[in-house]
Amino acid sequence: EVQLVESGGGLVQPGGSLRLSCAASGFTFSSYEMNWVRQAPGKGLEWVSYISSSGSTIYYADSVKGRFTISRDNAKNSLYLQMNSLRAEDTAVYYCALDYYDSSGYEYWGQGTLVTVSS
Amino acid sequence: QSALTQPASVSGSPGQSITISCTGTSSDVGGYNYVSWYQQHPGKAPKLMIYEVSNRPSGVPDRFSGSKSGNTASLTISGLQAEDEADYYCSSYTSSSTLFGGGTKLTVL
């Protein structure tokens, strides 16, 4: 059974940093592209970042480019999101999402981890 | 990277059909057959309902269908049921990102 479990969220002050993790199981993690998607409280979904299976190709939303870094450790079946220079508008639930069947849709999502940026 | 445009809300009675539109541009919705639709109930993670414009993942009822014309994609739900009340989001692949719509709240009257 495919499982994605995010962790690392919490309360951080503006300008601070946080590192999110997504532990993957139930599939061959090293063979799959991964994404981060976020959802601000009461708002819609926003794609954040993409990483290829090898980590060689990475994309970011304009809203986080230069501040966030996506990475993965295929040996540990883990996906990461390093978030620096955090702003109030980064407050959201962050999900890791998997396009398992290469359909361009995300069939599997984690439960999400809440990041709150506030002083 | 502008969001795709969806109506904020739609409503229908049980048994009726509703359609939710999703408008983009030729660089996203119109340029690829990679439109997906998600259902999200409060406090839950999104669930994929439609992928590649009109395909349903295993387990999704055939009451849910998708289509596309030009730069606008549509999700149709027929035979509305109470449990269909949720937020619905479209998304589109682009060459270097995924775009989501702003979301549509479906109310089953």
Side-chain angles (χ1 to χ4, degrees), chain A residues 24-42:
Chain A
S25 61
F27 65 104
T28 306
F29 181 73
S30 60
S31 297
Y32 290 88
E33 306 162 351
M34 296 294 298
N35 291 265
W36 286 100
V37 177
R38 69 184 181 182
Q39 186 170 34

Side-chain angles (χ1 to χ4, degrees), chain A residues 50-73:
Chain A
Y50 157 95
I51 187 167
S52 63
S53 57
S54 66
S56 60
T57 301
I58 286 172
Y59 301 120
Y60 297 101
D62 288 344
S63 58
V64 306
K65 200 172 294 182
R67 301 187 299 121
F68 289 12
T69 302
I70 190 172
S71 63
R72 64 191 297 158
D73 186 334

